[in-house]
Amino acid sequence: MNRLLIISMLLLLAGNAAAQRETEIVESPAQTQNEGMTLKWKVAIGRFSNETQYAKGIFYDKENDPMGKQALDILSAKLAATGKFILLERNDLATLLDECQKGNGTAQTIGADYMIIGSVTEYGRKETGKNRVFSAQKTQTVDAAVAIRLVDVSTGLITYADEAKGSAEVTTKTTLGVGGQAGYDATLSDKAISEAIGQLVENIVNKCADSPWKTYFISYDADGVLIAGGKSQGVKEGMTFAIKTKGKKVKNPQTGIMIPLPGKEVGRVTVTATGGETPETEYSVVTVTTTEQIDATNMGNYVIEEVR
């Protein structure tokens, strides 16, 4: 009897030790630190227009186009649902578009990494039906096409452009006068546009993921070194980023577009603390290790980039 009691106690102790080791592995600080360390891009949705002739009567107001606003709201909701972006509401769209087209490193001043410009390029609604002796069928169909451009604000270059089409329909059927009857279904417009935008969102996510996350110096003096970006973008204490100079721009003789070349790495920064209350005002305090002297009077010449 005593022997059985001793064996039971030994098995219980062995089980507790294994459980403790398993708990220690799950709660390992290093492992926890690496989970979910996704750096988020700041994205501003700029102009989203209706380029079709739908709903453009004599009193049409381009600035308050319902279809353009509808598409913008759907795109915002789908981008937010991915958890990969911080969406910025921009009230100064005219200034934003102008600065982005210039591409003079204005990402530091307008607070966005990318800007999305979109438009509804096609829209059509049709009704088809079949009438038989004892039954009738009616189908409402809406087709829409949406085009999107993803612009790198720091360079003004379009990094991704695409168009997608979506379709939605509803069918009602009656037999001997019994069955559903549907009038004009306004929700079909939402569904068709949503389907088209949904096809583009995944491509936007993949395109941004292909490029390393980047930010900029916002202060570099004896009081401390700060970079833009903080907790809401996934920046955490202990993370290390590369300091790179901006590469020179060369002109493509075929298109006339200025193409930025890769910069040179001149050091690293390590995050020691984060601060700020909103995504547009967040910052991180960093320590700097360099191989070359940093020109504190020309902070616009440097980019802080994710190390891959």
Side-chain angles (χ1 to χ4, degrees), residues 40 247 264:
K40 298 181 181 181
K264 175 185 176 183

Side-chain angles (χ1 to χ4, degrees), residues 21-36:
R21 285 196 300 270
E22 184 177 356
T23 303
E24 288 175 354
I25 292 174
V26 172
E27 296 178 354
S28 169
Q31 194 173 37
T32 303
Q33 184 180 3
N34 290 330
E35 291 177 356

